[in-house]
Amino acid sequence: MAIKIFVHGSGHKAASWAETISYMPCDGDIMCPDLPSILEGKEARYENLYASFAGYCNAFGEEIHLCGLSLGGMLALNYALDFPQKTKSLVLIGTPHKVPKAAFGFQNMVFRFLPESIFAAMAFDKKDTFALGRSMKNWDFSGRVRQVACPTLILCGQKDGPNMKSAHFLAQNIPNAKLEILEDTGHAVNEENPRALANLLQEFYGRSF
Protein backbone atom coordinates (compact mmCIF):
# COMPACT_ATOMS: atom_id res chain seq x y z
CA MET A 1 0.00 0.00 0.00
CA ALA A 2 1.39 3.40 -0.98
CA ILE A 3 2.02 5.96 1.75
CA LYS A 4 -0.79 8.43 2.44
CA ILE A 5 0.30 11.96 3.33
CA PHE A 6 -2.29 14.12 5.12
CA VAL A 7 -1.40 17.83 5.05
CA HIS A 8 -2.93 20.29 7.51
CA GLY A 9 -3.92 23.90 6.82
CA SER A 10 -2.40 27.10 8.19
CA GLY A 11 -5.06 27.41 10.89
CA HIS A 12 -4.44 23.95 12.34
CA LYS A 13 -1.65 21.57 13.25
CA ALA A 14 -0.70 18.06 12.22
CA ALA A 15 -2.61 16.68 15.22
CA SER A 16 -5.85 17.91 13.64
CA TRP A 17 -5.92 14.65 11.64
CA ALA A 18 -5.80 12.41 14.73
CA GLU A 19 -9.51 11.70 15.13
CA THR A 20 -10.06 11.14 11.40
CA ILE A 21 -7.19 8.65 11.35
CA SER A 22 -8.58 6.88 14.43
CA TYR A 23 -11.58 5.82 12.32
CA MET A 24 -9.39 4.42 9.55
CA PRO A 25 -7.43 1.17 9.43
CA CYS A 26 -3.82 2.28 9.67
CA ASP A 27 -0.68 0.18 9.46
CA GLY A 28 1.72 3.08 9.72
CA ASP A 29 0.93 4.09 6.14
CA ILE A 30 -0.49 7.54 7.04
CA MET A 31 1.96 10.40 7.56
CA CYS A 32 1.02 13.85 8.87
CA PRO A 33 3.94 16.26 8.38
CA ASP A 34 4.11 19.40 10.52
CA LEU A 35 4.50 22.25 8.03
CA PRO A 36 6.50 24.68 10.23
CA SER A 37 8.90 21.85 11.11
CA ILE A 38 9.65 20.87 7.53
CA LEU A 39 10.60 24.50 6.80
CA GLU A 40 13.65 23.83 9.01
CA GLY A 41 14.10 27.48 9.97
CA LYS A 42 13.74 28.94 6.49
CA GLU A 43 11.66 32.09 6.00
CA ALA A 44 7.93 31.43 6.00
CA ARG A 45 7.28 32.09 2.34
CA TYR A 46 5.17 29.88 0.08
CA GLU A 47 8.12 29.20 -2.22
CA ASN A 48 10.21 27.90 0.70
CA LEU A 49 7.34 25.91 2.19
CA TYR A 50 6.51 24.26 -1.12
CA ALA A 51 10.17 23.40 -1.80
CA SER A 52 10.41 21.82 1.65
CA PHE A 53 7.15 19.95 1.15
CA ALA A 54 8.24 18.65 -2.25
CA GLY A 55 11.49 17.47 -0.72
CA TYR A 56 9.57 15.69 2.03
CA CYS A 57 7.34 13.90 -0.49
CA ASN A 58 10.19 13.02 -2.82
CA ALA A 59 12.05 11.34 0.04
CA PHE A 60 9.56 8.48 -0.21
CA GLY A 61 10.83 6.13 -2.88
CA GLU A 62 7.37 5.18 -4.09
CA GLU A 63 4.14 6.72 -5.30
CA ILE A 64 2.16 8.59 -2.66
CA HIS A 65 -1.46 9.43 -1.93
CA LEU A 66 -1.86 13.13 -1.09
CA CYS A 67 -4.69 14.56 1.02
CA GLY A 68 -4.65 18.25 1.95
CA LEU A 69 -6.90 20.72 3.71
CA SER A 70 -6.85 24.43 2.72
CA LEU A 71 -3.14 25.41 2.57
CA GLY A 72 -2.32 21.71 2.71
CA GLY A 73 -4.55 21.18 -0.32
CA MET A 74 -2.79 23.97 -2.18
CA LEU A 75 0.57 22.33 -1.52
CA ALA A 76 -0.79 18.91 -2.53
CA LEU A 77 -2.28 20.29 -5.75
CA ASN A 78 0.99 22.06 -6.60
CA TYR A 79 2.94 18.83 -6.02
CA ALA A 80 0.53 16.66 -8.02
CA LEU A 81 0.99 18.99 -11.00
CA ASP A 82 4.79 19.13 -10.70
CA PHE A 83 5.30 15.43 -9.93
CA PRO A 84 2.55 13.46 -11.67
CA GLN A 85 4.72 10.35 -11.74
CA LYS A 86 4.88 10.35 -7.92
CA THR A 87 1.25 11.18 -7.13
CA LYS A 88 -1.01 8.12 -7.02
CA SER A 89 -4.13 10.02 -5.91
CA LEU A 90 -5.19 13.44 -4.69
CA VAL A 91 -7.79 14.59 -2.13
CA LEU A 92 -8.46 18.32 -1.85
CA ILE A 93 -10.50 19.52 1.14
CA GLY A 94 -11.70 23.13 1.34
CA THR A 95 -9.02 24.06 -1.15
CA PRO A 96 -9.07 27.24 -3.25
CA HIS A 97 -7.95 27.08 -6.89
CA LYS A 98 -6.74 30.66 -6.48
CA VAL A 99 -6.35 33.09 -3.60
CA PRO A 100 -9.49 35.27 -3.36
CA LYS A 101 -7.84 38.65 -2.91
CA ALA A 102 -10.78 40.56 -1.40
CA ALA A 103 -11.56 37.90 1.21
CA PHE A 104 -7.87 37.34 1.84
CA GLY A 105 -7.33 41.06 2.44
CA PHE A 106 -10.24 41.20 4.90
CA GLN A 107 -8.93 38.16 6.76
CA ASN A 108 -5.49 39.73 7.11
CA MET A 109 -7.04 42.92 8.44
CA VAL A 110 -8.88 40.92 11.11
CA PHE A 111 -5.75 38.95 11.96
CA ARG A 112 -3.82 42.15 12.66
CA PHE A 113 -6.06 42.88 15.64
CA LEU A 114 -5.84 39.39 17.11
CA PRO A 115 -3.47 38.82 20.05
CA GLU A 116 -0.42 36.63 19.58
CA SER A 117 -1.96 34.03 21.91
CA ILE A 118 -4.70 33.25 19.36
CA PHE A 119 -2.07 31.99 16.94
CA ALA A 120 -0.81 29.40 19.44
CA ALA A 121 -3.47 27.00 18.17
CA MET A 122 -2.52 27.64 14.54
CA ALA A 123 0.31 26.16 12.50
CA PHE A 124 2.34 29.38 12.30
CA ASP A 125 2.79 32.26 14.74
CA LYS A 126 1.45 35.72 13.93
CA LYS A 127 4.60 36.96 12.18
CA ASP A 128 4.96 33.88 9.99
CA THR A 129 1.23 33.76 9.21
CA PHE A 130 1.44 37.25 7.70
CA ALA A 131 4.72 36.53 5.91
CA LEU A 132 3.28 33.37 4.36
CA GLY A 133 0.09 35.17 3.40
CA ARG A 134 1.93 37.99 1.64
CA SER A 135 3.88 35.48 -0.43
CA MET A 136 0.66 33.80 -1.59
CA LYS A 137 -1.46 36.77 -2.65
CA ASN A 138 -0.99 35.98 -6.35
CA TRP A 139 -1.34 32.17 -6.03
CA ASP A 140 -3.59 31.08 -8.91
CA PHE A 141 -3.75 27.59 -10.40
CA SER A 142 -6.89 28.17 -12.46
CA GLY A 143 -5.10 27.49 -15.71
CA ARG A 144 -3.21 24.40 -14.53
CA VAL A 145 -5.76 22.20 -12.77
CA ARG A 146 -6.80 20.53 -16.03
CA GLN A 147 -3.36 18.92 -16.06
CA VAL A 148 -3.96 16.87 -12.91
CA ALA A 149 -3.44 13.29 -14.05
CA CYS A 150 -4.33 11.18 -11.00
CA PRO A 151 -7.68 10.10 -9.48
CA THR A 152 -8.98 13.07 -7.50
CA LEU A 153 -11.57 13.56 -4.77
CA ILE A 154 -12.82 17.08 -4.00
CA LEU A 155 -14.38 17.58 -0.56
CA CYS A 156 -16.03 20.64 0.94
CA GLY A 157 -18.11 21.29 4.02
CA GLN A 158 -21.64 22.45 3.26
CA LYS A 159 -21.07 25.50 5.48
CA ASP A 160 -17.68 26.37 3.94
CA GLY A 161 -19.07 29.17 1.78
CA PRO A 162 -15.72 30.77 0.88
CA ASN A 163 -14.47 27.52 -0.71
CA MET A 164 -17.66 26.10 -2.22
CA LYS A 165 -17.17 27.87 -5.55
CA SER A 166 -13.62 26.54 -5.79
CA ALA A 167 -14.80 23.02 -4.96
CA HIS A 168 -17.14 23.08 -7.95
CA PHE A 169 -14.48 24.68 -10.16
CA LEU A 170 -11.95 21.97 -9.27
CA ALA A 171 -14.50 19.18 -9.75
CA GLN A 172 -15.49 20.53 -13.16
CA ASN A 173 -11.95 21.16 -14.41
CA ILE A 174 -9.87 18.31 -13.03
CA PRO A 175 -10.38 15.31 -15.33
CA ASN A 176 -12.64 12.66 -13.79
CA ALA A 177 -12.65 14.34 -10.35
CA LYS A 178 -15.43 13.45 -7.93
CA LEU A 179 -17.07 16.04 -5.67
CA GLU A 180 -18.52 15.27 -2.22
CA ILE A 181 -20.21 17.87 0.01
CA LEU A 182 -20.31 17.07 3.74
CA GLU A 183 -23.57 18.22 5.30
CA ASP A 184 -23.64 20.43 8.42
CA THR A 185 -19.87 20.85 8.23
CA GLY A 186 -17.68 23.93 7.88
CA HIS A 187 -14.12 24.42 6.69
CA ALA A 188 -12.22 22.22 9.16
CA VAL A 189 -13.76 18.98 7.92
CA ASN A 190 -11.20 16.77 9.66
CA GLU A 191 -12.13 18.22 13.06
CA GLU A 192 -15.83 18.96 12.58
CA ASN A 193 -16.86 15.71 10.91
CA PRO A 194 -13.95 13.28 11.21
CA ARG A 195 -15.97 10.05 11.00
CA ALA A 196 -17.73 11.07 7.78
CA LEU A 197 -14.39 12.19 6.34
CA ALA A 198 -12.77 8.89 7.28
CA ASN A 199 -15.58 6.97 5.57
CA LEU A 200 -15.22 8.99 2.37
CA LEU A 201 -11.45 8.56 2.36
CA GLN A 202 -11.71 4.82 2.94
CA GLU A 203 -14.17 4.51 0.07
CA PHE A 204 -11.87 6.52 -2.18
CA TYR A 205 -8.72 4.62 -1.23
CA GLY A 206 -10.58 1.34 -1.67
CA ARG A 207 -10.71 1.87 -5.40
CA SER A 208 -8.26 0.02 -7.62
CA PHE A 209 -5.83 2.66 -8.84
Side-chain angles (χ1 to χ4, degrees):
M1 176 67 71
I3 290 291
K4 303 178 185 73
I5 300 177
F6 289 7
V7 197
H8 64 85
S10 61
H12 304 271
K13 298 184 178 183
S16 63
W17 295 106
E19 189 171 357
T20 299
I21 293 172
S22 74
Y23 296 122
M24 301 174 66
C26 177
D27 297 316
D29 62 334
I30 300 177
M31 311 296 291
C32 302
D34 178 67
L35 294 180
S37 295
I38 67 173
L39 262 175
E40 297 182 334
K42 293 189 285 292
E43 182 184 3
R45 294 181 54 80
Y46 179 79
E47 294 83 358
N48 291 338
L49 181 60
Y50 174 65
S52 296
F53 176 70
Y56 174 89
C57 293
N58 286 337
F60 295 95
E62 57 187 296
E63 290 182 304
I64 56 176
H65 297 283
L66 284 176
C67 172
L69 167 69
S70 196
L71 171 63
M74 297 163 81
L75 291 166
L77 174 60
N78 199 157
Y79 184 88
L81 287 165
D82 288 350
F83 298 94
Q85 74 283 1
K86 281 279 293 180
T87 311
K88 194 172 182 66
S89 74
L90 180 64
V91 179
L92 302 176
I93 308 172
T95 300
H97 63 283
K98 65 178 179 180
V99 170
K101 294 186 178 181
F104 191 73
F106 177 75
Q107 174 182 279
N108 280 349
M109 182 180 69
V110 172
F111 278 178
R112 289 185 185 279
F113 294 98
L114 296 178
E116 184 72 44
S117 59
I118 295 293
F119 291 82
M122 299 172 66
F124 298 91
D125 62 23
K126 189 171 185 176
K127 173 178 173 290
D128 285 348
T129 294
F130 279 105
L132 183 60
R134 285 193 299 270
S135 71
M136 297 176 64
K137 62 183 179 181
N138 294 316
W139 195 94
D140 187 347
F141 273 45
S142 303
R144 292 190 64 191
V145 297
R146 294 174 181 82
Q147 300 168 23
V148 173
C150 62
T152 303
L153 175 64
I154 310 298
L155 299 175
C156 191
Q158 183 185 36
K159 298 179 180 178
D160 188 7
N163 290 296
M164 186 62 71
K165 185 176 179 180
S166 278
H168 285 282
F169 178 90
L170 291 168
Q172 291 164 7
N173 287 278
I174 293 177
N176 301 313
K178 181 181 180 182
L179 173 64
E180 293 280 1
I181 305 299
L182 287 88
E183 295 184 359
D184 299 319
T185 306
H187 181 58
V189 173
N190 56 345
E191 295 182 317
E192 296 179 43
N193 206 342
R195 187 183 291 274
L197 174 58
N199 290 340
L200 287 170
L201 290 175
Q202 278 302 106
E203 180 184 349
F204 180 64
Y205 292 133
R207 298 180 190 174
S208 298
F209 52 70

